[in-house]
Amino acid sequence: MTVTLVKTPAETAYTDAFDPQGALADVRKSAFAQFAATGLPHRRMEDWKWTDLRQLMSSPLPPVSGTTASADTIDALISASPFGDVARARMVFVDGVYDADRSSLPATGDMEFASLGSDDLPDWVSDKLVAGSTDPIAALNLAYMSDGAGLRVKAGSGMDAPIELLFVTTAEQAATYTTRNVIVLEEGSSATLIETHIGGTGEYVHNAVTQLHIADNARLDRVKVQEEGLEAIHLSNTDVHLAESAHLKDFTLTIGGRATRQQGFINFAGEHAEGHVSGAFLLTGKQHNDTRLVIDHAVPNCLSRELFKCVMDEAARGVFQGKAIVRRDAQKTDGNQSSHALLLSDEAEFDAKPELEIYADDVVCGHGATSGDLDENQMFYLRARGITETEAKSMLIGAFAAEAFDDVESDAIREVLGGLAEGWLARRKAG
Amino acid sequence: MLEIKNLHVSLEEEDKQIIKGLDLTINAGEVNAIMGPNGSGKSTLSYVLAGRPGYEVTEGSITYKGQDLLEMEIDERAAAGVFLAFQYPIEIPGVATMQFLKVALNAQRKARGEGEMTTPDFMRLVRGKAEQLNVTTDMLKRPVNVGFSGGEKKRAEILQMAVLEPGLCVLDETDSGLDIDALRVVAEGVNALRSPDRGMLVITHYQRLLDYIVPDRVHVMSDGKIVKSGGKELALELEKDGYAAFAA
């Protein structure tokens, strides 16, 4: 019996548009072959059972790059970034293409910037662009990636003033925008990186990959804020390599997007490394956020922490899939993950799927998941002090989400995150 | 100031009557104490005054300063001046005590049509009162009641009362879980709030608290009713003879 794979219109659009050129053509071809082997992920694939892309992407959303929007539209979206006053350097990407005029890069010898859309990529970027991801969406990204940020922080340099990578999608075309960042922290360096995604109203897909290569004794604090348009599909993959004594703090706040699938692959390749991955979702309407983390402890003496606080209102749906692999040699691994959901309506839904695969015997690993609505006793206590029901709810929701912000090192960034949560709560009250 | 007439209260979920025809009047300037054995309905009375969900008033009325209290929302009662000091104050992770106090005070002021208090004025107000109650700056920065000892929780309750300046203070078993030193600090805080235009209802199982907060009237509650009322000497009698004589 032969099985014929019936391509969806979206898959057909991806296939028809494929015509790789330039230095990366071969890499793109292998990546596309990997994607084509499975096509768009669907619910019969275990890791994707909550997020069926074949169904979600019901119309063709061909890959494009470059904008058709007016300067006013673009500038309005750029000014919507909450980090305007916090970021000390900024690379702006509009509809998948680097916009040098709207970016501001510091003149410093401590770091090097690159645009991945350039024909002449430095080796420290091109060396990292290798086909081989087992994830079909990450493979599709490499096949079609139009641009993105390259950032190299040189050995021993400390760059703690936040650098923002701002991705603006105007949504003027129903299309797929594909970006990829390659961030390299050399030995003993440090940086604070903000990744902001902002989009207009209209259907589009943003397929975004960020590769983080953190060398020995280097330290990265990364904060991602996702405020895509409310008809957008945001597909993201963060691929992390932690060398010896490397340190990562990674926080994501998700407010936007009709459907979001974000994946994080954290690979511990050197001993005594630490990875803290946290996040908060604030979802309403029919928003969908499926977060999947795969933490791979391949070496001994590393620490991993995951904390996700998920607020779902109306008919929103959240999913947290946390997988931790502790390989046979990874003794003395200290790993812990937890996800907590706050369901503000009877229609809201949250699914948590922890998976531990532990092959070493001397480890401390745990997971926990909770899900519930607002605490009646806390509500009564606040109201008994004169706080209105609406205000009391906002206080408790804000406090719930804020626990995940505590991991963010920068006070200024934490304040921005608090403001974003307050804005969400205020819109909720008004609505 | 507060008039409770023929109050009957049942639990909503299990059709069980807790208060069975209670009458009580509290005048401004008076401290009234309600004493009674466990299960007599003392705490239920305090919750019904504050408006806690889960209780159904099947008969009777409660008027506070001429207003029908039972028709008012929980926060409306608070803004009108009814304050319940909880027997078990609730922990609220993620909300700093200082912020909570400020939001509460300004919510009440707004409900009464008064302007918001500015942050410097508010800080001065709280710092002064906190010092009297031995509430440290560190406690004010910490989340509401989280990690507070029993004594700290009760002092924080009285601080809230002092900042919010209610017309009617209902203290539910404020002495529970306190050692004698903590009891003294709390009682001093309460006594400092005694005033001719404020009424107080002190609910307690033991006479001990009433050595420090001396009541004008003492009422004995048993099986959902006030069964005896008298002056402060009634508390001493109860201490001596116990509640057996009032058992249902």
Side-chain angles (χ1 to χ4, degrees):
Chain A
M1 193 179 97
T2 55
V3 176
T4 324
L5 182 69
V6 179
K7 281 194 187 133
T8 66
E11 286 169 336
T12 305
Y14 285 138
T15 308
D16 291 351
F18 191 65
D19 180 23
Q21 305 289 329
L24 292 172
D26 288 343
V27 172
R28 291 184 191 275
K29 277 180 197 159
S30 348
F32 191 78
Q34 279 169 343
F35 164 73
T38 52
L40 284 174
H42 51 80
R43 65 171 174 271
R44 286 183 306 282
M45 293 161 73
E46 177 62 21
D47 295 337
W48 289 83
K49 67 177 174 185
W50 282 289
T51 304
D52 189 329
L53 285 184
R54 293 189 73 159
Q55 218 166 50
L56 279 167
M57 292 166 65
S58 53
S59 54
L61 293 154
V64 301
S65 62
T67 192
T68 54
S70 70
D72 286 352
T73 304
I74 295 166
D75 289 333
L77 287 167
I78 288 175
S79 64
S81 164
F83 295 105
D85 297 330
V86 173
R88 289 291 165 267
R90 179 186 255 183
M91 284 183 92
V92 177
F93 298 85
V94 179
D95 287 338
V97 175
Y98 179 54
D99 187 332
D101 294 339
R102 291 185 169 90
S103 301
S104 58
L105 299 182
T108 163
D110 289 347
M111 57 177 65
E112 216 179 304
F113 293 90
S115 149
L116 267 66
S118 145
D119 290 333
D120 188 19
L121 289 173
D123 290 347
W124 57 268
V125 173
S126 53
D127 289 352
K128 301 287 193 276
L129 298 174
V130 185
S133 169
T134 53
D135 182 79
I137 295 303
L140 184 65
N141 177 287
L142 190 53
Y144 274 115
M145 173 270 288
S146 60
D147 212 329
L151 168 66
R152 171 185 172 216
V153 186
K154 292 183 184 167
S157 303
M159 178 66 193
D160 289 323
I163 302 159
E164 184 183 24
L165 310 179
L166 172 56
F167 295 88
V168 158
T169 308
T170 61
E172 302 239 330
Q173 299 179 71
T176 298
Y177 299 90
T178 310
T179 60
R180 178 176 285 249
N181 303 317
V182 173
I183 312 299
V184 177
L185 272 83
E186 294 183 348
E187 278 184 33
S189 68
S190 66
T192 300
L193 189 68
I194 299 168
E195 197 180 304
T196 314
H197 297 262
I198 289 183
T201 313
E203 190 182 14
Y204 66 90
V205 172
H206 186 185
N207 181 338
V209 168
T210 296
Q211 298 176 223
L212 305 174
H213 301 271
I214 308 175
D216 292 359
N217 295 303
R219 181 187 180 98
L220 177 67
D221 291 329
R222 172 176 175 264
V223 170
K224 175 180 165 185
V225 168
Q226 197 259 81
E227 283 195 282
E228 301 275 18
L230 290 173
E231 291 166 49
I233 297 176
H234 180 85
L235 303 173
S236 98
N237 277 278
T238 304
D239 230 315
V240 184
H241 293 268
L242 289 163
E244 193 174 320
S245 299
H247 195 287
L248 170 71
K249 278 200 168 180
D250 185 274
F251 172 84
T252 301
L253 176 64
T254 303
I255 296 177
R258 165 168 72 100
T260 297
R261 162 73 171 205
Q262 51 181 8
Q263 307 196 103
F265 298 90
I266 320 295
N267 299 292
F268 285 90
E271 292 191 39
H272 303 288
E274 276 188 30
H276 300 255
V277 183
S278 58
F281 321 160
L282 302 173
L283 307 178
T284 186
K286 289 186 174 174
Q287 282 181 286
H288 172 105
N289 182 333
D290 179 348
T291 292
R292 175 170 177 255
L293 296 177
V294 180
I295 314 290
D296 191 344
H297 284 277
V299 295
N301 295 308
C302 292
L303 179 144
S304 61
R305 289 285 180 276
E306 295 100 63
L307 172 66
F308 278 76
K309 304 289 292 247
C310 314
V311 180
M312 267 95 29
D313 199 1
E314 298 178 353
R317 184 175 206 189
V319 177
F320 178 77
Q321 307 186 63
K323 180 171 183 169
I325 307 163
V326 181
R327 298 189 189 271
R328 212 171 50 193
D329 291 337
Q331 299 295 357
K332 306 279 180 196
T333 289
D334 177 355
N336 197 289
Q337 58 164 274
S338 59
S339 65
H340 303 285
L342 183 56
L343 301 169
L344 298 174
S345 109
D346 292 341
E347 284 178 273
E349 187 177 328
F350 182 71
D351 297 284
K353 183 183 162 198
E355 269 180 283
L356 299 182
E357 278 182 26
I358 301 176
Y359 303 100
D361 50 17
D362 185 13
V363 301
V364 181
C365 285
H367 66 82
T370 63
S371 158
D373 52 13
L374 289 171
D375 184 293
E376 282 176 24
N377 290 325
Q378 292 179 344
M379 279 298 292
F380 173 58
Y381 190 74
L382 293 175
R383 295 188 66 196
R385 297 298 176 251
I387 299 169
T388 61
E389 184 174 11
T390 315
E391 179 79 1
K393 276 187 183 168
S394 285
M395 279 180 95
L396 293 180
I397 299 165
F400 172 86
E403 197 197 330
F405 306 170
D406 287 349
D407 235 16
V408 175
E409 291 282 336
S410 153
D411 293 342
I413 294 177
R414 230 178 19 250
E415 237 168 74
V416 169
L417 296 173
L420 289 170
E422 270 172 34
W424 186 84
L425 290 166
R427 288 196 296 279
R428 180 180 181 273
K429 268 196 277 190
Chain B
M1 165 170 276
L2 182 77
E3 200 149 352
I4 304 176
K5 283 187 183 156
N6 192 31
L7 186 70
H8 288 71
V9 178
S10 299
L11 286 181
E12 261 173 17
E13 298 216 331
E14 43 180 304
D15 197 28
K16 185 181 167 198
Q17 210 174 38
I18 310 274
I19 295 182
K20 306 169 180 174
L22 180 138
D23 293 281
L24 179 69
T25 301
I26 296 176
N27 298 313
E30 271 183 11
V31 173
N32 283 249
I34 289 191
M35 301 185 68
N38 291 330
S40 58
K42 304 187 304 285
S43 283
T44 298
L45 175 62
S46 74
Y47 287 145
V48 170
L49 287 169
R52 185 179 188 140
Y55 299 93
E56 194 188 350
V57 174
T58 53
E59 215 183 320
S61 66
I62 305 178
T63 33
Y64 170 71
K65 292 187 174 173
Q67 296 165 275
D68 182 354
L69 201 65
L70 298 174
E71 284 298 306
M72 295 160 76
E73 294 286 334
I74 305 166
D75 43 288
E76 289 170 349
R77 299 180 193 202
V82 176
F83 182 94
L84 169 63
F86 283 57
Q87 179 177 6
Y88 302 111
I90 307 294
E91 296 185 3
I92 310 199
V95 177
T97 303
M98 199 69 165
Q99 181 208 353
F100 160 68
L101 272 170
K102 185 164 183 244
V103 172
L105 180 65
N106 280 328
Q108 293 200 10
R109 290 174 69 103
K110 192 177 166 197
R112 294 192 294 257
E114 300 162 18
E116 282 203 1
M117 191 178 266
T118 64
T119 302
D121 285 348
F122 172 76
M123 300 290 268
R124 256 193 301 280
L125 173 78
V126 174
R127 289 242 164 83
K129 296 187 191 264
E131 209 167 302
Q132 288 164 15
L133 283 158
N134 207 2
V135 171
T136 60
T137 311
D138 176 56
M139 274 172 71
L140 292 171
K141 282 184 191 159
R142 272 148 61 190
V144 178
N145 293 318
V146 177
F148 287 18
S149 69
E152 286 175 332
K153 283 183 181 169
K154 296 299 170 78
R155 296 206 305 270
E157 289 292 289
I158 306 305
L159 173 65
Q160 291 174 31
M161 196 162 95
V163 168
L164 297 171
E165 299 185 312
L168 176 70
C169 306
V170 181
L171 291 94
D172 186 12
E173 307 270 5
T174 292
D175 49 335
S176 69
L178 294 188
D179 63 27
I180 203 75
D181 292 329
L183 184 62
R184 203 171 281 140
V185 173
V186 166
E188 274 169 22
V190 174
N191 286 330
L193 288 168
R194 291 178 84 144
S195 107
D197 48 10
R198 182 170 289 139
M200 289 196 184
L201 181 61
V202 179
I203 293 170
T204 182
H205 187 86
Y206 300 103
Q207 189 267 336
R208 184 178 75 152
L209 177 66
L210 304 180
D211 287 343
Y212 297 94
I213 305 172
V214 179
D216 300 295
R217 305 269 301 152
V218 174
H219 311 274
V220 181
M221 190 164 175
S222 175
D223 193 27
K225 280 185 283 222
I226 303 285
V227 291
K228 188 169 184 181
S229 298
K232 61 179 181 243
E233 66 287 347
L234 183 54
L236 296 168
E237 265 175 54
L238 280 172
E239 185 71 2
K240 196 163 125 265
D241 303 334
Y243 291 114
F246 302 104

